[in-house]
Amino acid sequence: MASPRQRAARWRYVQYAVLVLAVAVVVLVADWDQLQRAFFNWEVVKDQFPRVLTVALKNTIIYTACGFSFGLVLGLFLALMRLSSVGPYRWISTAVIELFRGLPALVVFIALSVGFRLAFPDREIPFGNLGVVTLALGLVGGAYMAETIRAGIQAVPKGQMEAARSLGMTHSRAMISVVVPQAFRIILPPLTNELILLTKDSSLVYILGLSLSGYELTKFGREGMNSAANLTPIVVISLCYLLITVPLSIVVRRMESRAERAR
Amino acid sequence: MTAEQTNTSTKRSDAAIDVQQLHKYFGDNEVLKGIDFHVANGEVVCVIGPSGSGKSTLLRCVNLLEIPTKGKIFVEGVEITDPDADVDKLRARIGIVFQQFNLFPHMTVLRNLTIAQEKVAGRKKAEAVEIARANLEKVGIAEKESAYPAHLSGGQMQRAAIARALSMQPDMMLFDEPTSALDPELVGDVLAVMKDLATEGMTMMVVTHEMGFAREVGDNLVFMDGGVIVEEGHPAEVLADPQHERTQAFLSKVL
């Protein structure tokens, strides 16, 4: 009989062998020339620049930043309403949160663009598409962030509010100066995750019908793919997305490990 | 409790704190069962008793951190249990020090001391900083003004918390077991600061387990058990010769 340690070592060899075999099969079976032509055609790559950066990446960042900022403010208000002692505020906030967390972001986009036009034929959402994106992403993100912010506020020890009140601060002053700043420190990592999610949801803006200058990454990639009959543009914009999200992930991990150390 | 203390709602003008027939329920649980309690101006009153006796609840009621169910509380002659009382203004005049310090961890020590001065008392920044520094000096941690609370020892944190309360220049100070969360070797520093305050004539209500402090500094000692005041009197006398058997039982365990 092999000892447990020998058995563990043998099992590890098997795992390595499977991995090597799998890689070998992929390398041998794949047609690398074909793959490169379809996914990373150098000529097509060059065609994407510089507009993939100056238009598409820029718009994705603008849409996301606007939506996230509005969502953060909305989320804070919803969270504070949720914790209010006034019943109707709690009910309204709960309803808004449940509604916009439950709906697909695409449905919210459609409701805001088409629905608004049908409901108020004479009015327009200000700032055109940017206004709609800000509202839609803000509503979806805000509904999620509201619950995160509420949890953060509740995670601040009760003694903090008591200490602030005992110094004579009003409830709102204590919230603004003492509780909310500490809550945001606690929830910075999940908020950054929400920012990453919104970055990707910003692609749904295509449903509004965009002019060329309004293209964001996904729309830009799809147009490029259609005209080049080639997947390279999609690969390029994918890398652009990672250019935004990977650094954010690294920042989150840094914050988490720093929070860990501070404990 | 002395039964001849008939309950009238007239205020006692010499009293900094005057609690009359105070009842407090948490749900169905009656934590305070008709408390009459007084602290005169310039007096140090220590409240002792087993855990669950209601002593912390009594202290928190004086600052309205707990809302009394029944009864009246006067602070310097103003009825704070009156629904129209300006609670925030009142609280700014009563300093309170908590067992868990409750410093604001996202601010430096100095900012902990100045924020309420600026936002509540409306002082200019320079004035607030000056007062804060004087109080840090007083509690012996002047060199820690730019440190964050996480970098202080428990004793330093509690002294910073005392300095924070003092910076509002309160008329009286409430201490809710200020040394119970401290390592034994750090207790002395905090008690020394409190003793200095008492010597300066600060009106103080101290919920504590430090019998030595009560004997040495206290003008009056109150023993609570089961939501009532069982016995009160001069600290040395109560500690040396307790009249009530519950006081005797408690003191025999802690002394």
Side-chain angles (χ1 to χ4, degrees):
Chain A
M1 271 305 275
S3 75
R5 217 166 68 192
Q6 281 170 320
R7 248 181 295 156
R10 213 173 292 162
W11 176 229
R12 206 157 45 232
Y13 289 137
V14 172
Q15 287 178 323
Y16 276 116
V18 169
L19 179 65
V20 170
L21 202 67
V23 172
V25 167
V26 169
V27 168
L28 291 176
V29 169
D31 178 344
W32 288 103
D33 287 341
Q34 174 59 28
L35 282 179
Q36 204 209 333
R37 252 175 280 130
F39 291 98
F40 213 79
N41 188 319
W42 200 237
E43 290 305 312
V44 182
V45 169
K46 277 190 232 160
D47 285 347
Q48 308 305 310
F49 287 91
R51 291 191 58 249
V52 69
L53 297 180
T54 57
V55 176
L57 182 65
K58 187 190 87 184
N59 280 332
T60 290
I61 290 175
I62 289 175
Y63 294 157
T64 309
C66 289
F68 185 77
S69 309
F70 174 57
L72 201 58
V73 174
L74 181 71
L76 181 58
F77 272 101
L78 287 173
L80 291 174
M81 283 169 73
R82 190 96 204 243
L83 295 168
S84 163
S85 53
V86 183
Y89 280 157
R90 285 200 305 275
W91 306 330
I92 292 171
S93 137
T94 308
V96 171
I97 291 171
E98 290 305 329
L99 178 65
F100 288 102
R101 268 204 317 187
L103 295 180
L106 187 56
V107 173
V108 177
F109 269 95
I110 295 171
L112 276 178
S113 55
V114 183
F116 191 88
R117 229 174 294 143
L118 292 175
F120 307 99
D122 307 330
R123 289 164 185 272
E124 265 183 16
I125 295 181
F127 303 113
N129 278 345
L130 183 60
V132 179
V133 182
T134 305
L135 276 179
L137 288 181
L139 281 168
V140 173
Y144 275 98
M145 286 189 273
E147 286 296 88
T148 310
I149 295 171
R150 179 185 59 80
I153 288 174
Q154 286 177 327
V156 176
K158 245 181 79 190
Q160 292 291 314
M161 175 58 95
E162 290 183 349
R165 295 304 301 272
S166 76
L167 290 167
M169 293 189 200
T170 61
H171 185 270
S172 344
R173 167 52 63 191
M175 270 288 175
I176 295 167
S177 293
V178 175
V179 176
V180 170
Q182 292 185 62
F184 269 93
R185 286 182 150 197
I186 298 172
I187 60 174
L188 218 48
L191 281 188
T192 314
N193 280 332
E194 186 57 35
L195 179 58
I196 291 175
L197 290 176
L198 282 189
T199 307
K200 296 183 292 179
D201 277 348
S202 70
S203 64
L204 297 171
V205 67
Y206 80 88
I207 198 83
L208 304 179
L210 297 166
S211 66
L212 260 150
S213 62
Y215 280 12
E216 44 67 63
L217 284 171
T218 301
K219 179 72 177 168
F220 184 88
R222 282 172 51 182
E223 291 298 314
M225 178 183 75
N226 290 342
S227 62
N230 189 291
L231 212 67
T232 306
I234 296 289
V235 173
V236 172
I237 64 110
S238 300
L239 292 175
C240 289
Y241 274 114
L242 296 182
L243 206 63
I244 304 174
T245 57
V246 170
L248 281 177
S249 300
I250 294 172
V251 169
V252 175
R253 226 166 295 145
R254 286 257 172 84
M255 286 188 301
E256 277 171 345
S257 66
R258 197 192 302 167
E260 203 70 38
R261 273 201 305 274
R263 217 166 275 159
Chain B
M1 188 59 222
T2 48
E4 64 275 8
Q5 218 159 36
T6 48
N7 172 34
T8 59
S9 52
T10 52
K11 63 187 190 188
R12 294 171 31 148
S13 56
D14 62 325
I17 302 170
D18 185 9
V19 176
Q20 299 179 356
Q21 278 303 303
L22 179 68
H23 292 259
K24 173 67 185 174
Y25 286 81
F26 288 120
D28 290 336
N29 185 17
E30 188 175 17
V31 195
L32 296 178
K33 302 172 180 167
I35 300 279
D36 288 297
F37 175 84
H38 315 281
V39 180
N41 271 313
E43 196 181 31
V44 178
V45 176
C46 295
V47 183
I48 60 169
S51 59
S53 59
K55 54 192 193 304
S56 283
T57 307
L58 172 61
L59 180 140
R60 291 164 60 85
C61 279
V62 172
N63 191 327
L64 293 188
L65 284 176
E66 304 290 352
I67 305 299
T69 313
K70 224 164 74 187
K72 291 187 173 180
I73 301 175
F74 296 84
V75 170
E76 295 185 326
V78 179
E79 184 185 351
I80 61 166
T81 34
D82 182 343
D84 295 332
D86 185 345
V87 178
D88 296 318
K89 207 173 143 196
L90 160 90
R91 283 183 173 135
R93 285 174 25 217
I94 306 177
I96 181 163
V97 175
F98 301 90
Q99 183 178 353
Q100 297 298 336
F101 329 131
N102 295 342
L103 291 173
F104 306 135
H106 58 302
M107 301 173 188
T108 62
V109 167
L110 188 67
R111 187 66 184 142
N112 263 278
L113 269 64
T114 56
I115 182 160
Q117 291 192 66
E118 290 172 29
K119 308 282 185 193
V120 179
R123 290 179 196 143
K124 292 267 179 300
K125 187 170 182 202
E127 189 191 357
V129 168
E130 196 180 321
I131 294 173
R133 288 202 171 122
N135 281 309
L136 285 176
E137 185 83 40
K138 184 176 195 164
V139 301
I141 51 169
E143 76 284 3
K144 296 289 184 188
E145 66 164 58
S146 43
Y148 282 87
H151 297 125
L152 303 184
S153 74
Q156 291 168 336
M157 279 197 254
Q158 193 59 298
R159 283 184 281 159
I162 294 172
R164 177 175 68 178
L166 289 177
S167 294
M168 293 301 287
Q169 301 180 321
D171 300 331
M172 66 195 73
M173 293 279 286
L174 312 181
F175 293 84
D176 187 5
E177 302 197 24
T179 57
S180 297
L182 298 178
D183 291 336
E185 77 271 21
L186 303 174
V187 169
D189 293 341
V190 172
L191 291 181
V193 168
M194 290 167 61
K195 198 177 152 188
D196 287 349
L197 271 180
T199 315
E200 288 169 20
M202 175 65 82
T203 307
M204 291 163 65
M205 172 182 180
V206 185
V207 170
T208 187
H209 293 293
E210 296 293 331
M211 301 303 158
F213 177 84
R215 184 188 295 118
E216 197 184 338
V217 181
D219 298 308
N220 200 9
L221 182 68
V222 171
F223 173 70
M224 283 181 72
D225 193 15
V228 296
I229 293 179
V230 175
E231 187 168 348
E232 62 179 302
H234 192 270
E237 284 162 25
V238 175
L239 290 173
D241 183 23
Q243 299 300 307
H244 202 286
E245 66 185 78
R246 276 197 281 177
T247 320
Q248 290 162 3
F250 175 73
L251 289 176
S252 72
K253 275 182 226 154
V254 297
L255 285 178

